[in-house]
Every structure is written in C-alpha cells, then in structure tokens.
Amino acid sequence: TLLDPDRVVLKGFSMGGAGAWHLAVHYPGRWYAANPGAGFSETPDFLRSFQQEDLKPMWWEQKLWHLYDCPDWAVNLRHCPTVAYSGDEDSQKQAADIMETALTKENIRLLHVIGPKTKHSYHPQSRDEVERRMTSLAVRGRERVPTHVQFVTYTLKYNQMAWATIDELGQH
C-alpha cells in the first residue's frame, strides 16, 4: 500500500492530544488536518487549573515554555485545518479553549466539537461528527503549494512551512 503524502492526518487524545497540538503548530505543512483531543496546549494555565500548582517560574523557564507552548504559534494553523475535540465535563477542555482564544486573535476559527455530559473520553455522536469533518478535509487533502504562506517561528528547529524555509533568525 502506498501512502498518499497529501492525506496524512495528525490525531491524538489526552497525552496524544497534547502531542497533536504541539506537532500541528510546529509542523503545519505536514498534515492535511489535525485533530487534538483533550491533552494540553500550554504550560502555565494547565499547571494552575489542571494540577492546582502554585507557579513561581524562573525567567528562563518561562522563556523555554515559549518554545513548546502552542498559543504563540497559533497562526501556523492557518495552513493546517484543525478539528479539536473535548468532553464538556473534561478539565482538559481548557487546552482547546486556550487555543480557540489564540486563534481568534489571528482571525482563524477553530472547529471545536464538544461531547455533551462527557468527561475525559469520546462521546459516541461527537466521535462520528469529528470523523465526518476529518473525512471531508481528507477529500481536499493537504495544500502542498500554497500561494501565500503565513508562518511564525522562534527557533530554527521549527523552520519550515510548505515551500518556505527560515534559514536564519535575528535572535534565536
């Protein structure tokens, strides 16, 4: 069986959802779409709300969060259609809520399917809705050569979107 490079999807739930958020914003040109479920998308609010931690990070910790946390990279999802999933009673819904706020600032609408009366699992009808949306996006496939690229990076580790490659930064 041959793999169609224009129909590779990124999906994950819980810890996999965190990975899906991370990979989608850092490598947006590799997928036709992303489907993060639950997980987390950034460090400070997750640690405060989900783990009830009293945060007193050092300056360098906050700087390093910036490399991993997804909201500052949200504009990259302009090139990676994203269908988020959360249960309405799941405390990890905060990941998609935070990303929705970050995407709204970039004039990007996040499709967020929410399972009613659901904790940390997939609601059956919501799973069907997510699959319907993802199948619809697969028909179109990945936009291999976009005419316009909007992309942000703060490190050369994540330096590529479609045909654009960043080879140097004024500050890394």
Side-chain angles (χ1 to χ4, degrees):
T1 305
L2 296 176
L3 179 68
D4 180 349
D6 294 331
R7 301 226 168 21
V8 177
V9 66
L10 175 62
K11 290 181 163 194
F13 184 79
S14 195
M15 187 180 288
W21 281 118
H22 176 76
L23 293 170
V25 299
H26 290 96
Y27 301 104
R30 294 190 181 183
W31 335 101
Y32 77 79
N35 173 222
F40 66 92
S41 59
E42 53 69 59
T43 307
D45 190 61
F46 176 79
L47 292 177
R48 272 192 295 272
S49 65
F50 187 72
Q51 295 191 189
Q52 291 80 44
E53 290 189 28
D54 182 25
L55 297 179
K56 294 180 182 133
M58 302 295 287
W59 68 268
W60 50 268
E61 287 177 292
Q62 289 179 313
K63 193 161 190 89
L64 290 172
W65 286 346
H66 180 65
L67 293 176
Y68 186 82
D69 290 352
C70 301
D72 292 340
W73 304 72
V75 71
N76 295 349
L77 293 182
R78 185 173 309 284
H79 298 289
C80 182
T82 304
V83 179
Y85 169 77
S86 304
D88 69 345
E89 296 175 4
D90 188 351
S91 60
Q92 289 186 12
K93 179 180 175 290
Q94 63 87 19
D97 293 341
I98 283 175
M99 287 306 294
E100 187 166 24
T101 299
L103 288 162
T104 298
K105 291 176 186 173
E106 300 294 341
N107 294 315
I108 301 170
R109 183 178 173 269
L110 176 66
L111 177 56
H112 188 185
V113 177
I114 301 172
K117 299 180 182 162
T118 305
K119 294 191 181 200
H120 195 64
S121 64
Y122 264 92
H123 180 270
Q125 285 81 22
S126 298
R127 179 185 335 229
D128 293 346
E129 176 65 11
V130 166
E131 287 308 309
R132 186 182 70 72
R133 300 291 185 132
M134 298 306 286
T135 300
S136 165
L137 290 167
V139 170
R140 185 190 79 169
R142 174 177 63 127
E143 184 180 22
R144 185 177 285 224
V145 185
T147 56
H148 177 266
V149 170
Q150 191 171 3
F151 179 68
V152 66
T153 188
Y154 303 95
T155 173
L156 294 177
K157 179 175 173 122
Y158 311 115
N159 69 332
Q160 190 172 21
M161 170 52 215
W163 47 262
T165 301
I166 309 300
D167 290 324
E168 186 175 333
L169 293 172
Q171 183 177 7
H172 191 268

